[in-house]
Each structure stands twice: as structure tokens, then as C-alpha cells.
């Protein structure tokens, strides 16, 4: 089931997303978040998290850094600075 869901998102990323203007307000993008959530939390919980993220991504939110948390939640990650990603680490840990 995980492979099917990830495959569907990859098809979206390859064929549909390039035809649309960039509109995701978060990093990582909603499609990448969906794949990471399914990989980390399984097909059901990951799908719920990915769908909640897609619903959160709208013109009325500021967006920003919102990595997949270690524990299941449908809400935005409250501590993105704890996420070990090179781009995010530079944003939050370089106080020079």
C-alpha cells in the first residue's frame, strides 16, 4: 500500500506539478511531506498526515518550515529547528 501511495505522488510530481505554478507555502513541499509521512508512519497514518498538510497549505497561512514529526499528528510541527536537514539547520542554527 505504501508503494502505491508513493507511486501516485511521484506521478503527480513528475507529470502534473510541473504544469502548475509553484504554490506550496511550506518546506518541504506538500508532495514531499506526503511521501516522507507515508514512509515514516505507514500508509494510513502517513496519508492522514499528508492530507492534513495539504489542507493546511492555503492562501490564508504564512507557511514556512514544517518537517514530518517523529510522532503522529495532524498539526504543524511546533519545533522545526529540531529537524536534521541541512537547509533547515542553516536557517535556525546560524545565528551569526
Amino acid at each position: 500500500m505504501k508503494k502505491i501511495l508513493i507511486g501516485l505522488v511521484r506521478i503527480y510530481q513528475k507529470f502534473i506539478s510541473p504544469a502548475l505554478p509553484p504554490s506550496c507555502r511550506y518546506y518541504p513541499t506538500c508532495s514531499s511531506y506526503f511521501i516522507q509521512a507515508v514512509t515514516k508512519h505507514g500508509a494510513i497514518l502517513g496519508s492522514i498526515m499528508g492530507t492534513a498538510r495539504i489542507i493546511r497549505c492555503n492562501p490564508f497561512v504564512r507557511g514556512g518550515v514544517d518537517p514530518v514529526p517523529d510522532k503522529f499528528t495532524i498539526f504543524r510541527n511546533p519545533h522545526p529547528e529540531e529537524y536534521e536537514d541541512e537547509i533547515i539547520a542553516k536557517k535556525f542554527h546560524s545565528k551569526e
Side-chain angles (χ1 to χ4, degrees):
M1 185 68 159
K2 284 168 56 170
K3 288 183 181 181
I4 294 170
L5 290 170
I6 291 171
L8 290 171
V9 175
R10 295 263 187 230
I11 290 170
Y12 165 80
Q13 287 177 327
K14 186 168 183 163
F15 297 108
I16 299 171
S17 182
L20 302 172
S23 61
C24 189
R25 299 178 174 278
Y26 290 106
Y27 175 84
T29 63
C30 293
S31 58
S32 295
Y33 182 97
F34 194 97
I35 291 172
Q36 292 172 17
V38 168
T39 303
K40 189 181 263 190
H41 297 286
I44 296 172
L45 294 179
S47 294
I48 293 169
M49 290 177 73
T51 303
R53 166 67 178 277
I54 292 167
I55 292 169
R56 280 197 314 267
C57 189
N58 63 66
F60 302 108
V61 297
R62 190 180 74 208
V65 177
D66 182 30
V68 177
D70 292 329
K71 295 182 180 177
F72 172 79
T73 180
I74 60 169
F75 301 106
R76 184 177 174 155
N77 189 341
H79 301 290
E81 68 276 2
E82 295 174 3
Y83 187 67
E84 291 303 322
D85 181 271
E86 188 177 316
I87 295 171
I88 297 172
K90 284 180 185 177
K91 179 171 176 53
F92 285 101
H93 298 297
S94 64
K95 307 266 182 182
E96 299 173 18

